[in-house]
Every structure is written in structure tokens, then in C-alpha cells.
Amino acid sequence: RGKSGIIYCATRKNVDKLCNLLRADGHAAARYHAGLDEAERRTAQDDFQFDRAQVMVATNAFGMGIDKSNVSYVFHYNMPKNLESYYQEAGRAGRDGEKAECILLYARQDVMLGRWMIEHSDVNPELTATQRSQLLEKQLDRLKVMTFYATGRSCLRRYILNYFGEAADRRCGNCSVCNGLSDAPARQQVIVRLA
């Protein structure tokens, strides 16, 4: 309570459901997804930007061009389809230099949902059948990498740094794996604290 944060969901339905739950619990929450009209998206964005809404519940449609420095946490209610998206979205927390938390809630259904979304996404009609097949394979490989991150048992910071080509030879001592917090009963929590 009292801190600004973003909760990312994979579907519009989850955005609406979580936003309503948060509001019912007394949280100043806004929602953002492509199914809302432009005026509602603009109002939600302004309410979050100017701290009238403490929590933004959104799909990945939210965030581009948002430079809010006091985001204290980013939750992923569903696992993103790839590590690049997760890294970009999680990176919206802690820009003010204060401590921030990034929490990824993971369930097996997230993999099935991610796969379904990849297989049913709009593809550039100018691509050949071979190119479409290669793109699908690449996206599914990236989903697999994201799943390995969410279910892994090694330092999360090191995993991300290595994925993006940076050397990380020691544990961070700051993530849920390093701190022994990675096994929650219903949904696995992957927690990274940003200093």
C-alpha cells in the first residue's frame, strides 16, 4: 500500500479481473489494455503517471514511453512469452534508485497460454511459409528460455545477464533462488530485488 507499481497480465480478462479485485479491496487501481477505448487508456495512464492510481494492471500494451521514476514493484501475474519482454517490463521498477521488487508468478498453464498466444498471433502476411515456420520456432524457443528462467534453480540475475551476453560468475544473493524463496505452493514466485 502507498507505493506505485505495475501488474502485468497476459490477457485482457485477467487485467479486468485483477483490477476489479484490487479496487474492491480498497486499492487505487487503473487498468490498461488494447480492448479499452483511447479515452479510457489515456485516463488510466494519466492517473497512474500523476499518482491518482497507485497500481496499474495492464497487458504488455502498457509501458512504451512510460517513464515513471517511482515504480516500486512490477508483478507478472502470468509469465511473459520471452525473457526480453520480462526484462524490459521488470526494468520499469526502481528507476529512482530506491529498492524495488520484481515478482513473477508462474504456473504451468502460463506455458500453455504463451504457446497458444504465439501460435495464434497475427503474422506478417508477406512472409513465406518457411519464414513463418522459422519465426514460430524462434518464438517457441524463446518461450522455452523464459520457462527455464521461471523454473530454474540457479541465480536469476546471473541467468538474465548470461542470456544477454554479460558475464556473471557469482550469485547475486538478492533473488528468490539465492535467498531460498523460490518454492511457493500454488504459484511459484520468482522474486528479484533491485537495489
Side-chain angles (χ1 to χ4, degrees), residues 18-48:
L18 275 177
C19 188
N20 290 335
L21 285 170
L22 288 167
R23 287 174 178 169
D25 196 36
H27 297 276
R31 64 187 180 144
Y32 191 102
H33 59 67
L36 303 174
D37 64 47
E38 179 62 33
E40 188 173 355
R41 286 195 308 267
R42 171 63 55 201
T43 298
Q45 186 172 325
D46 288 347
D47 286 349
F48 183 66

PDB file of all heavy atoms in Angstrom, residues 18-48:
ATOM      1  N   LEU A  18      -8.293  -8.708 -12.130  1.00  0.00           N
ATOM      2  CA  LEU A  18      -7.396  -8.246 -11.066  1.00  0.00           C
ATOM      3  C   LEU A  18      -7.655  -6.797 -10.679  1.00  0.00           C
ATOM      4  O   LEU A  18      -7.628  -6.456  -9.495  1.00  0.00           O
ATOM      5  CB  LEU A  18      -5.942  -8.411 -11.492  1.00  0.00           C
ATOM      6  CG  LEU A  18      -5.328  -9.770 -11.248  1.00  0.00           C
ATOM      7  CD1 LEU A  18      -3.912  -9.820 -11.795  1.00  0.00           C
ATOM      8  CD2 LEU A  18      -5.326 -10.105  -9.785  1.00  0.00           C
ATOM      9  N   CYS A  19      -7.916  -5.959 -11.658  1.00  0.00           N
ATOM     10  CA  CYS A  19      -8.195  -4.555 -11.360  1.00  0.00           C
ATOM     11  C   CYS A  19      -9.446  -4.446 -10.490  1.00  0.00           C
ATOM     12  O   CYS A  19      -9.458  -3.709  -9.494  1.00  0.00           O
ATOM     13  CB  CYS A  19      -8.352  -3.755 -12.646  1.00  0.00           C
ATOM     14  SG  CYS A  19      -8.480  -1.971 -12.354  1.00  0.00           S
ATOM     15  N   ASN A  20     -10.483  -5.189 -10.832  1.00  0.00           N
ATOM     16  CA  ASN A  20     -11.712  -5.173 -10.030  1.00  0.00           C
ATOM     17  C   ASN A  20     -11.475  -5.691  -8.622  1.00  0.00           C
ATOM     18  O   ASN A  20     -12.012  -5.142  -7.647  1.00  0.00           O
ATOM     19  CB  ASN A  20     -12.817  -5.964 -10.725  1.00  0.00           C
ATOM     20  CG  ASN A  20     -13.324  -5.272 -11.979  1.00  0.00           C
ATOM     21  OD1 ASN A  20     -13.221  -4.053 -12.105  1.00  0.00           O
ATOM     22  ND2 ASN A  20     -13.846  -6.040 -12.910  1.00  0.00           N
ATOM     23  N   LEU A  21     -10.684  -6.749  -8.487  1.00  0.00           N
ATOM     24  CA  LEU A  21     -10.364  -7.281  -7.156  1.00  0.00           C
ATOM     25  C   LEU A  21      -9.603  -6.266  -6.315  1.00  0.00           C
ATOM     26  O   LEU A  21      -9.880  -6.089  -5.131  1.00  0.00           O
ATOM     27  CB  LEU A  21      -9.541  -8.570  -7.279  1.00  0.00           C
ATOM     28  CG  LEU A  21     -10.292  -9.829  -7.692  1.00  0.00           C
ATOM     29  CD1 LEU A  21      -9.318 -10.957  -8.006  1.00  0.00           C
ATOM     30  CD2 LEU A  21     -11.261 -10.254  -6.601  1.00  0.00           C
ATOM     31  N   LEU A  22      -8.632  -5.599  -6.925  1.00  0.00           N
ATOM     32  CA  LEU A  22      -7.854  -4.596  -6.206  1.00  0.00           C
ATOM     33  C   LEU A  22      -8.725  -3.421  -5.778  1.00  0.00           C
ATOM     34  O   LEU A  22      -8.625  -2.935  -4.641  1.00  0.00           O
ATOM     35  CB  LEU A  22      -6.685  -4.107  -7.062  1.00  0.00           C
ATOM     36  CG  LEU A  22      -5.544  -5.107  -7.232  1.00  0.00           C
ATOM     37  CD1 LEU A  22      -4.605  -4.660  -8.346  1.00  0.00           C
ATOM     38  CD2 LEU A  22      -4.785  -5.280  -5.929  1.00  0.00           C
ATOM     39  N   ARG A  23      -9.572  -2.968  -6.674  1.00  0.00           N
ATOM     40  CA  ARG A  23     -10.477  -1.862  -6.333  1.00  0.00           C
ATOM     41  C   ARG A  23     -11.414  -2.253  -5.192  1.00  0.00           C
ATOM     42  O   ARG A  23     -11.650  -1.462  -4.280  1.00  0.00           O
ATOM     43  CB  ARG A  23     -11.272  -1.432  -7.560  1.00  0.00           C
ATOM     44  CG  ARG A  23     -10.448  -0.679  -8.584  1.00  0.00           C
ATOM     45  CD  ARG A  23     -11.254  -0.398  -9.841  1.00  0.00           C
ATOM     46  NE  ARG A  23     -10.486   0.366 -10.821  1.00  0.00           N
ATOM     47  CZ  ARG A  23     -10.883   0.555 -12.072  1.00  0.00           C
ATOM     48  NH1 ARG A  23     -12.027   0.034 -12.500  1.00  0.00           N
ATOM     49  NH2 ARG A  23     -10.135   1.262 -12.896  1.00  0.00           N
ATOM     50  N   ALA A  24     -11.945  -3.476  -5.247  1.00  0.00           N
ATOM     51  CA  ALA A  24     -12.845  -3.952  -4.192  1.00  0.00           C
ATOM     52  C   ALA A  24     -12.131  -4.032  -2.842  1.00  0.00           C
ATOM     53  O   ALA A  24     -12.757  -3.895  -1.790  1.00  0.00           O
ATOM     54  CB  ALA A  24     -13.425  -5.316  -4.568  1.00  0.00           C
ATOM     55  N   ASP A  25     -10.816  -4.231  -2.888  1.00  0.00           N
ATOM     56  CA  ASP A  25     -10.021  -4.303  -1.662  1.00  0.00           C
ATOM     57  C   ASP A  25      -9.519  -2.921  -1.220  1.00  0.00           C
ATOM     58  O   ASP A  25      -8.722  -2.814  -0.301  1.00  0.00           O
ATOM     59  CB  ASP A  25      -8.838  -5.259  -1.880  1.00  0.00           C
ATOM     60  CG  ASP A  25      -8.196  -5.697  -0.579  1.00  0.00           C
ATOM     61  OD1 ASP A  25      -8.924  -5.892   0.416  1.00  0.00           O
ATOM     62  OD2 ASP A  25      -6.954  -5.824  -0.553  1.00  0.00           O
ATOM     63  N   GLY A  26      -9.950  -1.872  -1.903  1.00  0.00           N
ATOM     64  CA  GLY A  26      -9.614  -0.515  -1.498  1.00  0.00           C
ATOM     65  C   GLY A  26      -8.359   0.073  -2.100  1.00  0.00           C
ATOM     66  O   GLY A  26      -7.891   1.115  -1.668  1.00  0.00           O
ATOM     67  N   HIS A  27      -7.816  -0.571  -3.117  1.00  0.00           N
ATOM     68  CA  HIS A  27      -6.616  -0.050  -3.781  1.00  0.00           C
ATOM     69  C   HIS A  27      -7.003   0.889  -4.915  1.00  0.00           C
ATOM     70  O   HIS A  27      -7.972   0.641  -5.632  1.00  0.00           O
ATOM     71  CB  HIS A  27      -5.766  -1.194  -4.337  1.00  0.00           C
ATOM     72  CG  HIS A  27      -5.243  -2.112  -3.303  1.00  0.00           C
ATOM     73  ND1 HIS A  27      -4.093  -1.858  -2.597  1.00  0.00           N
ATOM     74  CD2 HIS A  27      -5.728  -3.296  -2.826  1.00  0.00           C
ATOM     75  CE1 HIS A  27      -3.882  -2.841  -1.743  1.00  0.00           C
ATOM     76  NE2 HIS A  27      -4.863  -3.717  -1.862  1.00  0.00           N
ATOM     77  N   ALA A  28      -6.250   1.953  -5.087  1.00  0.00           N
ATOM     78  CA  ALA A  28      -6.451   2.867  -6.209  1.00  0.00           C
ATOM     79  C   ALA A  28      -5.786   2.238  -7.420  1.00  0.00           C
ATOM     80  O   ALA A  28      -4.583   2.383  -7.638  1.00  0.00           O
ATOM     81  CB  ALA A  28      -5.846   4.229  -5.898  1.00  0.00           C
ATOM     82  N   ALA A  29      -6.572   1.502  -8.193  1.00  0.00           N
ATOM     83  CA  ALA A  29      -6.029   0.750  -9.325  1.00  0.00           C
ATOM     84  C   ALA A  29      -6.633   1.236 -10.635  1.00  0.00           C
ATOM     85  O   ALA A  29      -7.797   1.625 -10.698  1.00  0.00           O
ATOM     86  CB  ALA A  29      -6.309  -0.747  -9.148  1.00  0.00           C
ATOM     87  N   ALA A  30      -5.823   1.196 -11.675  1.00  0.00           N
ATOM     88  CA  ALA A  30      -6.258   1.513 -13.031  1.00  0.00           C
ATOM     89  C   ALA A  30      -5.954   0.308 -13.911  1.00  0.00           C
ATOM     90  O   ALA A  30      -5.156  -0.548 -13.543  1.00  0.00           O
ATOM     91  CB  ALA A  30      -5.525   2.755 -13.545  1.00  0.00           C
ATOM     92  N   ARG A  31      -6.574   0.260 -15.076  1.00  0.00           N
ATOM     93  CA  ARG A  31      -6.327  -0.853 -15.994  1.00  0.00           C
ATOM     94  C   ARG A  31      -5.988  -0.305 -17.370  1.00  0.00           C
ATOM     95  O   ARG A  31      -6.390   0.808 -17.734  1.00  0.00           O
ATOM     96  CB  ARG A  31      -7.523  -1.791 -16.065  1.00  0.00           C
ATOM     97  CG  ARG A  31      -8.748  -1.124 -16.633  1.00  0.00           C
ATOM     98  CD  ARG A  31      -9.970  -2.010 -16.548  1.00  0.00           C
ATOM     99  NE  ARG A  31     -11.092  -1.277 -17.129  1.00  0.00           N
ATOM    100  CZ  ARG A  31     -12.053  -1.833 -17.827  1.00  0.00           C
ATOM    101  NH1 ARG A  31     -12.064  -3.132 -18.037  1.00  0.00           N
ATOM    102  NH2 ARG A  31     -13.023  -1.111 -18.327  1.00  0.00           N
ATOM    103  N   TYR A  32      -5.236  -1.118 -18.118  1.00  0.00           N
ATOM    104  CA  TYR A  32      -4.808  -0.690 -19.443  1.00  0.00           C
ATOM    105  C   TYR A  32      -4.645  -1.922 -20.324  1.00  0.00           C
ATOM    106  O   TYR A  32      -3.881  -2.823 -19.998  1.00  0.00           O
ATOM    107  CB  TYR A  32      -3.474   0.052 -19.334  1.00  0.00           C
ATOM    108  CG  TYR A  32      -3.055   0.778 -20.585  1.00  0.00           C
ATOM    109  CD1 TYR A  32      -3.208   2.150 -20.705  1.00  0.00           C
ATOM    110  CD2 TYR A  32      -2.484   0.083 -21.654  1.00  0.00           C
ATOM    111  CE1 TYR A  32      -2.814   2.831 -21.849  1.00  0.00           C
ATOM    112  CE2 TYR A  32      -2.096   0.754 -22.804  1.00  0.00           C
ATOM    113  CZ  TYR A  32      -2.257   2.117 -22.896  1.00  0.00           C
ATOM    114  OH  TYR A  32      -1.874   2.785 -24.022  1.00  0.00           O
ATOM    115  N   HIS A  33      -5.394  -1.953 -21.418  1.00  0.00           N
ATOM    116  CA  HIS A  33      -5.206  -2.980 -22.444  1.00  0.00           C
ATOM    117  C   HIS A  33      -5.821  -2.496 -23.747  1.00  0.00           C
ATOM    118  O   HIS A  33      -6.548  -1.493 -23.773  1.00  0.00           O
ATOM    119  CB  HIS A  33      -5.741  -4.347 -22.015  1.00  0.00           C
ATOM    120  CG  HIS A  33      -7.200  -4.393 -21.671  1.00  0.00           C
ATOM    121  ND1 HIS A  33      -8.212  -4.203 -22.584  1.00  0.00           N
ATOM    122  CD2 HIS A  33      -7.821  -4.618 -20.484  1.00  0.00           C
ATOM    123  CE1 HIS A  33      -9.385  -4.326 -22.002  1.00  0.00           C
ATOM    124  NE2 HIS A  33      -9.181  -4.554 -20.711  1.00  0.00           N
ATOM    125  N   ALA A  34      -5.520  -3.175 -24.827  1.00  0.00           N
ATOM    126  CA  ALA A  34      -5.930  -2.736 -26.162  1.00  0.00           C
ATOM    127  C   ALA A  34      -7.438  -2.812 -26.375  1.00  0.00           C
ATOM    128  O   ALA A  34      -7.952  -2.202 -27.313  1.00  0.00           O
ATOM    129  CB  ALA A  34      -5.207  -3.560 -27.225  1.00  0.00           C
ATOM    130  N   GLY A  35      -8.178  -3.493 -25.509  1.00  0.00           N
ATOM    131  CA  GLY A  35      -9.629  -3.593 -25.656  1.00  0.00           C
ATOM    132  C   GLY A  35     -10.381  -2.378 -25.128  1.00  0.00           C
ATOM    133  O   GLY A  35     -11.585  -2.267 -25.325  1.00  0.00           O
ATOM    134  N   LEU A  36      -9.680  -1.468 -24.472  1.00  0.00           N
ATOM    135  CA  LEU A  36     -10.315  -0.259 -23.952  1.00  0.00           C
ATOM    136  C   LEU A  36     -10.264   0.839 -25.010  1.00  0.00           C
ATOM    137  O   LEU A  36      -9.356   0.866 -25.841  1.00  0.00           O
ATOM    138  CB  LEU A  36      -9.584   0.218 -22.693  1.00  0.00           C
ATOM    139  CG  LEU A  36      -9.477  -0.794 -21.552  1.00  0.00           C
ATOM    140  CD1 LEU A  36      -8.599  -0.226 -20.433  1.00  0.00           C
ATOM    141  CD2 LEU A  36     -10.856  -1.157 -21.022  1.00  0.00           C
ATOM    142  N   ASP A  37     -11.209   1.764 -24.954  1.00  0.00           N
ATOM    143  CA  ASP A  37     -11.148   2.854 -25.931  1.00  0.00           C
ATOM    144  C   ASP A  37     -10.023   3.813 -25.556  1.00  0.00           C
ATOM    145  O   ASP A  37      -9.514   3.809 -24.441  1.00  0.00           O
ATOM    146  CB  ASP A  37     -12.494   3.575 -26.067  1.00  0.00           C
ATOM    147  CG  ASP A  37     -12.948   4.275 -24.803  1.00  0.00           C
ATOM    148  OD1 ASP A  37     -12.144   4.996 -24.178  1.00  0.00           O
ATOM    149  OD2 ASP A  37     -14.126   4.100 -24.435  1.00  0.00           O
ATOM    150  N   GLU A  38      -9.638   4.629 -26.519  1.00  0.00           N
ATOM    151  CA  GLU A  38      -8.486   5.527 -26.369  1.00  0.00           C
ATOM    152  C   GLU A  38      -8.633   6.445 -25.164  1.00  0.00           C
ATOM    153  O   GLU A  38      -7.666   6.677 -24.427  1.00  0.00           O
ATOM    154  CB  GLU A  38      -8.299   6.348 -27.648  1.00  0.00           C
ATOM    155  CG  GLU A  38      -7.153   7.335 -27.591  1.00  0.00           C
ATOM    156  CD  GLU A  38      -5.789   6.702 -27.406  1.00  0.00           C
ATOM    157  OE1 GLU A  38      -5.582   5.577 -27.912  1.00  0.00           O
ATOM    158  OE2 GLU A  38      -4.925   7.321 -26.757  1.00  0.00           O
ATOM    159  N   ALA A  39      -9.832   6.970 -24.917  1.00  0.00           N
ATOM    160  CA  ALA A  39     -10.045   7.895 -23.798  1.00  0.00           C
ATOM    161  C   ALA A  39      -9.808   7.197 -22.461  1.00  0.00           C
ATOM    162  O   ALA A  39      -9.179   7.769 -21.557  1.00  0.00           O
ATOM    163  CB  ALA A  39     -11.460   8.472 -23.853  1.00  0.00           C
ATOM    164  N   GLU A  40     -10.286   5.972 -22.326  1.00  0.00           N
ATOM    165  CA  GLU A  40     -10.085   5.247 -21.066  1.00  0.00           C
ATOM    166  C   GLU A  40      -8.622   4.894 -20.861  1.00  0.00           C
ATOM    167  O   GLU A  40      -8.101   4.979 -19.745  1.00  0.00           O
ATOM    168  CB  GLU A  40     -10.952   3.988 -21.027  1.00  0.00           C
ATOM    169  CG  GLU A  40     -10.905   3.317 -19.660  1.00  0.00           C
ATOM    170  CD  GLU A  40     -11.883   2.164 -19.510  1.00  0.00           C
ATOM    171  OE1 GLU A  40     -12.687   1.915 -20.430  1.00  0.00           O
ATOM    172  OE2 GLU A  40     -11.835   1.503 -18.456  1.00  0.00           O
ATOM    173  N   ARG A  41      -7.927   4.514 -21.928  1.00  0.00           N
ATOM    174  CA  ARG A  41      -6.493   4.217 -21.803  1.00  0.00           C
ATOM    175  C   ARG A  41      -5.717   5.471 -21.394  1.00  0.00           C
ATOM    176  O   ARG A  41      -4.842   5.426 -20.523  1.00  0.00           O
ATOM    177  CB  ARG A  41      -5.943   3.647 -23.119  1.00  0.00           C
ATOM    178  CG  ARG A  41      -6.360   2.217 -23.371  1.00  0.00           C
ATOM    179  CD  ARG A  41      -5.531   1.544 -24.457  1.00  0.00           C
ATOM    180  NE  ARG A  41      -5.453   2.295 -25.690  1.00  0.00           N
ATOM    181  CZ  ARG A  41      -6.278   2.149 -26.728  1.00  0.00           C
ATOM    182  NH1 ARG A  41      -7.268   1.293 -26.667  1.00  0.00           N
ATOM    183  NH2 ARG A  41      -6.113   2.863 -27.822  1.00  0.00           N
ATOM    184  N   ARG A  42      -6.042   6.607 -22.010  1.00  0.00           N
ATOM    185  CA  ARG A  42      -5.356   7.866 -21.697  1.00  0.00           C
ATOM    186  C   ARG A  42      -5.614   8.276 -20.243  1.00  0.00           C
ATOM    187  O   ARG A  42      -4.706   8.662 -19.537  1.00  0.00           O
ATOM    188  CB  ARG A  42      -5.834   8.963 -22.659  1.00  0.00           C
ATOM    189  CG  ARG A  42      -5.376  10.377 -22.321  1.00  0.00           C
ATOM    190  CD  ARG A  42      -3.894  10.615 -22.361  1.00  0.00           C
ATOM    191  NE  ARG A  42      -3.334  10.244 -23.630  1.00  0.00           N
ATOM    192  CZ  ARG A  42      -2.048   9.961 -23.813  1.00  0.00           C
ATOM    193  NH1 ARG A  42      -1.210  10.031 -22.818  1.00  0.00           N
ATOM    194  NH2 ARG A  42      -1.595   9.610 -24.985  1.00  0.00           N
ATOM    195  N   THR A  43      -6.861   8.150 -19.779  1.00  0.00           N
ATOM    196  CA  THR A  43      -7.197   8.493 -18.393  1.00  0.00           C
ATOM    197  C   THR A  43      -6.438   7.589 -17.422  1.00  0.00           C
ATOM    198  O   THR A  43      -5.878   8.063 -16.432  1.00  0.00           O
ATOM    199  CB  THR A  43      -8.721   8.372 -18.156  1.00  0.00           C
ATOM    200  OG1 THR A  43      -9.386   9.305 -19.015  1.00  0.00           O
ATOM    201  CG2 THR A  43      -9.088   8.660 -16.712  1.00  0.00           C
ATOM    202  N   ALA A  44      -6.413   6.294 -17.704  1.00  0.00           N
ATOM    203  CA  ALA A  44      -5.702   5.346 -16.836  1.00  0.00           C
ATOM    204  C   ALA A  44      -4.215   5.676 -16.789  1.00  0.00           C
ATOM    205  O   ALA A  44      -3.598   5.683 -15.710  1.00  0.00           O
ATOM    206  CB  ALA A  44      -5.913   3.916 -17.330  1.00  0.00           C
ATOM    207  N   GLN A  45      -3.639   5.962 -17.935  1.00  0.00           N
ATOM    208  CA  GLN A  45      -2.215   6.296 -17.997  1.00  0.00           C
ATOM    209  C   GLN A  45      -1.921   7.573 -17.211  1.00  0.00           C
ATOM    210  O   GLN A  45      -0.962   7.628 -16.435  1.00  0.00           O
ATOM    211  CB  GLN A  45      -1.794   6.454 -19.457  1.00  0.00           C
ATOM    212  CG  GLN A  45      -0.323   6.669 -19.656  1.00  0.00           C
ATOM    213  CD  GLN A  45       0.046   6.623 -21.127  1.00  0.00           C
ATOM    214  OE1 GLN A  45      -0.532   5.869 -21.900  1.00  0.00           O
ATOM    215  NE2 GLN A  45       1.005   7.435 -21.524  1.00  0.00           N
ATOM    216  N   ASP A  46      -2.756   8.589 -17.368  1.00  0.00           N
ATOM    217  CA  ASP A  46      -2.564   9.841 -16.629  1.00  0.00           C
ATOM    218  C   ASP A  46      -2.751   9.633 -15.126  1.00  0.00           C
ATOM    219  O   ASP A  46      -1.988  10.181 -14.324  1.00  0.00           O
ATOM    220  CB  ASP A  46      -3.530  10.918 -17.130  1.00  0.00           C
ATOM    221  CG  ASP A  46      -3.170  11.443 -18.511  1.00  0.00           C
ATOM    222  OD1 ASP A  46      -2.046  11.163 -18.992  1.00  0.00           O
ATOM    223  OD2 ASP A  46      -4.021  12.128 -19.122  1.00  0.00           O
ATOM    224  N   ASP A  47      -3.772   8.853 -14.740  1.00  0.00           N
ATOM    225  CA  ASP A  47      -3.999   8.589 -13.317  1.00  0.00           C
ATOM    226  C   ASP A  47      -2.787   7.904 -12.688  1.00  0.00           C
ATOM    227  O   ASP A  47      -2.396   8.232 -11.563  1.00  0.00           O
ATOM    228  CB  ASP A  47      -5.250   7.733 -13.115  1.00  0.00           C
ATOM    229  CG  ASP A  47      -6.535   8.514 -13.327  1.00  0.00           C
ATOM    230  OD1 ASP A  47      -6.479   9.757 -13.432  1.00  0.00           O
ATOM    231  OD2 ASP A  47      -7.602   7.866 -13.405  1.00  0.00           O
ATOM    232  N   PHE A  48      -2.188   6.992 -13.405  1.00  0.00           N
ATOM    233  CA  PHE A  48      -1.001   6.305 -12.885  1.00  0.00           C
ATOM    234  C   PHE A  48       0.203   7.240 -12.880  1.00  0.00           C
ATOM    235  O   PHE A  48       0.928   7.333 -11.889  1.00  0.00           O
ATOM    236  CB  PHE A  48      -0.712   5.053 -13.716  1.00  0.00           C
ATOM    237  CG  PHE A  48       0.445   4.251 -13.204  1.00  0.00           C
ATOM    238  CD1 PHE A  48       0.391   3.611 -11.979  1.00  0.00           C
ATOM    239  CD2 PHE A  48       1.601   4.126 -13.957  1.00  0.00           C
ATOM    240  CE1 PHE A  48       1.463   2.870 -11.500  1.00  0.00           C
ATOM    241  CE2 PHE A  48       2.674   3.387 -13.498  1.00  0.00           C
ATOM    242  CZ  PHE A  48       2.603   2.750 -12.266  1.00  0.00           C
TER     243      PHE A  48
END
